[in-house]
C-alpha cells in the first residue's frame, strides 16, 4: 500500500523530480540515470520514437535531442500538459498504453521509462503486446524499471520506497520474469543491464518477425 506521498508526488512535479533525483544517486546522478536507456541504441533524426507513459516528459527531453520524430503517450492529462510545456519539440497523445492508437509497425523505437511497475500483470501483458504490434520489424523496445535487488542495502531502500510511493504492482513487477513474458510475445534478442545493486534494470528487445 502506498502513502499520501504517492498522490503528492504526482500532484507536485517538484516532489516527483526531487524523489527521482535522490533515487538517481544510486546510479551516479540524474544526468546518468536519465540516459541509461541510450546505451547501445542508435537514434537518428528520423527515428520514429514512442515514449510510452511519458509522464511530464522526463525521458522525452532526452529523446528529442536525437530524434525529430518523438511522440509521448500518457493517460494523464495533467502529466501531458506538463510534458507539452517542458518538451514542446515532441508530439503528444492522451491514451492508455493498453490500446495504443497507432497502426501496426509505426515505430522504430518504443521506450518506457520507470512506468511498467505501475501496471497490473494482465495489463502489463496487454501493453507489451501492443508495443509489439506498433513496432516496425527490426524495431526496439527499451524498458527502464525496477528489478529485484540481491543486495541487502538496496533491498531495504527499495522496500521503504515501495511502501511510501508504490502499490502492490511494483512488488509483482520485480517478481515477473520479463524475459519469459517478452519472449512469449515474440520479442527477440533480449538484453538486460542491471544497476544500483541490481535494483534497476534496462532491457532491450527487438521485433524481428511480423506480428500475428
Ligand atoms: C512513474 S511515471 C513515469 C513517467 C516518466 N516516464 C518518467 O520517466 O519519469 C508513470 C506514468 O505512467 C502513466 N500511466 C500509468 N498507467 C498508464 C496507462 N495504462 N496508460 C498510459 N499511461 C499510464 C502515468 O500517468 C504516469 O505519467
Amino acid at each position: 500500500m502506498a502513502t499520501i506521498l504517492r498522490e503528492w508526488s504526482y500532484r507536485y512535479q517538484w516532489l516527483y523530480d526531487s524523489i527521482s533525483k535522490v533515487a538517481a544517486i544510486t546510479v551516479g546522478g540524474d544526468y546518468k540515470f536519465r540516459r541509461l536507456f541510450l546505451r547501445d541504441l542508435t537514434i537518428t533524426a528520423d527515428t520514429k520514437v514512442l515514449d510510452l507513459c511519458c509522464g511530464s516528459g522526463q525521458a522525452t527531453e532526452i529523446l528529442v535531442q536525437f530524434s525529430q520524430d518523438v511522440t509521448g503517450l500518457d493517460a494523464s492529462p495533467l502529466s501531458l500538459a506538463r510534458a507539452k510545456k517542458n518538451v514542446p519539440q515532441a508530439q503528444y497523445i492522451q491514451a492508455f498504453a493498453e490500446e495504443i492508437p497507432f497502426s501496426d509497425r509505426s515505430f522504430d523505437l518504443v521506450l518506457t521509462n520507470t512506468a511498467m511497475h505501475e501496471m497490473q500483470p494482465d495489463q502489463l501483458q496487454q501493453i507489451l503486446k501492443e508495443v509489439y504490434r506498433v513496432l516496425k520489424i527490426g524495431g526496439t523496445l527499451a524498458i527502464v524499471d525496477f528489478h529485484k535487488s540481491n543486495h541487502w542495502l538496496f533491498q531495504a531502500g527499495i522496500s521503504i520506497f515501495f511502501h511510501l510511493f508504490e502499490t502492490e504492482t511494483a512488488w509483482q513487477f520485480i517478481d515477473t520474469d520479463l524475459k519469459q513474458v517478452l519472449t512469449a510475445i515474440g520479442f527477440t534478442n533480449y538484453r538486460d543491464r542491471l544497476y544500483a545493486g541490481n535494483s534497476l534494470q534496462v532491457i532491450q528487445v527487438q521485433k524481428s518477425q511480423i506480428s500475428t
Side-chain angles (χ1 to χ4, degrees):
M1 291 297 283
T3 63
I4 189 71
L5 286 173
R6 177 182 176 81
E7 194 188 320
W8 287 353
S9 71
Y10 275 120
R11 194 181 304 168
Y12 306 111
Q13 198 183 336
W14 64 267
L15 180 59
Y16 183 95
D17 291 342
S18 304
I19 295 158
S20 212
K21 283 195 172 89
V22 171
I25 292 169
T26 59
V27 294
D30 197 48
Y31 182 92
K32 199 171 166 197
F33 173 64
R34 293 273 161 225
R35 287 161 181 78
L36 284 180
F37 70 85
L38 288 173
R39 193 165 158 189
D40 294 334
L41 281 183
T42 304
I43 310 176
T44 61
D46 57 0
T47 304
K48 271 187 81 71
V49 185
L50 177 64
D51 184 3
L52 194 66
C53 305
C54 64
S56 307
Q58 291 87 345
T60 328
E61 186 179 4
I62 312 299
L63 291 164
V64 296
Q65 294 171 18
F66 296 88
S67 168
Q68 292 174 2
D69 196 344
V70 178
T71 302
L73 179 153
D74 203 282
S76 158
L78 176 62
S79 293
L80 283 175
R82 288 173 176 160
K84 282 176 192 167
K85 190 163 169 245
N86 295 338
V87 193
Q89 304 94 313
Q91 305 153 66
Y92 295 96
I93 186 156
Q94 187 191 344
F96 287 108
E98 301 90 312
E99 291 176 19
I100 301 173
F102 289 99
S103 50
D104 298 1
R105 301 189 282 281
S106 294
F107 294 96
D108 299 296
L109 170 65
V110 176
L111 166 70
T112 181
N113 198 57
T114 61
M116 289 302 105
H117 66 273
E118 296 197 349
M119 311 303 164
Q120 297 288 344
D122 54 344
Q123 198 182 4
L124 178 66
Q125 282 268 354
Q126 179 57 31
I127 291 169
L128 296 175
K129 282 181 187 164
E130 272 293 86
V131 171
Y132 190 82
R133 181 184 67 75
V134 300
L135 270 177
K136 295 180 188 175
I137 307 298
T140 300
L141 162 65
I143 302 173
V144 181
D145 221 308
F146 295 111
H147 182 271
K148 195 169 211 163
S149 175
N150 55 4
H151 188 289
W152 69 268
L153 188 58
F154 287 93
Q155 285 170 353
I158 284 284
S159 180
I160 293 167
F161 182 85
F162 278 12
H163 280 107
L164 291 176
F165 294 102
E166 301 295 343
T167 67
E168 80 286 351
T169 61
W171 294 101
Q172 290 164 341
F173 183 83
I174 61 171
D175 276 332
T176 301
D177 182 347
L178 278 177
K179 184 175 184 181
Q180 192 275 326
V181 171
L182 290 161
T183 305
I185 290 170
F187 288 102
T188 56
N189 300 335
Y190 179 96
R191 283 181 291 177
D192 64 359
R193 290 204 167 81
L194 300 175
Y195 300 88
N198 291 4
S199 63
L200 185 72
Q201 58 186 331
V202 181
I203 294 173
Q204 284 180 18
V205 279
Q206 285 182 309
K207 173 176 175 174
S208 50
Q209 64 184 44
I210 295 168
S211 62
T212 50

